[in-house]
């Protein structure tokens, strides 16, 4: 199994978690919304961090491997295709940051009286980014 399969399996739960959070928020289920939101924010950040770390570590390991011994042309061709498609990397950072911001703004709304529309907008942005 390749890392993309692991990531896809973990990422398949991100959107349902975020939608469950939105559902409980729209229907006024206060404590349930906080629970869903905490789970969704931590889980989403974890899944995206896994992708980010994979790309960073893979690049470092492959650079060291190329220094240590010559690699075949088919391996280098596959490597170039992989890193040419790493367009998900900046989106993973953005989605994790927006999700974390929505969680922090939710706490600010409950604790400091921040207008609800700000948290609501950030939450919809998190769903859209993910």
């Amino acid at each position: 199994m390749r890392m993309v399969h692991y990531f896809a399996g973990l990422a398949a739960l991100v959107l349902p978690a975020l939608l469950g959070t939105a559902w409980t928020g729209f229907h006024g289920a206060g404590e349930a919304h906080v629970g869903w939101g905490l789970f969704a924010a931590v889980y989403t950040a974890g899944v995206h961090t896994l992708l980010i770390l994979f790309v960073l570590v893979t690049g470092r390991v492959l650079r060291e491997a190329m220094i240590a011994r010559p690699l075949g042309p088919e391996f280098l061709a596959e490597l170039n295709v992989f890193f040419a498609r790493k367009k998900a990397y900046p989106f993973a950072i953005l989605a994790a940051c927006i999700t974390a911001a929505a969680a922090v703004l939710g706490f600010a709304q409950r604790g400091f009286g921040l207008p609800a529309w700000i948290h609501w907008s950030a939450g919809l942005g998190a769903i859209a980014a993910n």
Side-chain angles (χ1 to χ4, degrees):
M1 244 177 148
R2 293 182 171 227
M3 185 62 190
V4 69
H5 298 120
Y6 292 118
F7 179 71
L10 292 171
L13 293 177
V14 167
L15 197 55
L18 291 172
L19 290 174
T21 302
W23 178 265
T24 57
F26 288 137
H27 292 295
E31 291 305 314
H33 178 65
V34 172
W36 272 89
L38 180 62
F39 170 76
V42 171
Y43 185 77
T44 301
V47 169
H48 290 306
T49 301
L50 178 67
L51 174 71
I52 294 163
L53 287 174
F54 174 73
V55 170
L56 292 174
V57 170
T58 301
R60 175 73 178 174
V61 168
L62 291 174
R63 201 172 351 189
E64 295 295 325
M66 288 190 282
I67 291 171
R69 64 179 198 169
L71 299 173
E74 62 279 345
F75 179 77
L76 292 176
E78 184 179 342
L79 180 64
N80 287 334
V81 168
F82 171 76
F83 281 107
R85 293 184 314 187
K86 68 174 183 175
K87 295 179 176 94
Y89 179 73
F91 291 115
I93 294 172
L94 177 68
C97 289
I98 290 173
T99 304
V104 169
L105 290 171
F107 178 75
Q109 179 202 352
R110 290 178 148 257
F112 302 112
L114 186 77
W117 69 268
I118 296 174
H119 171 58
W120 185 79
S121 299
L124 290 178
I127 292 171
N130 283 285

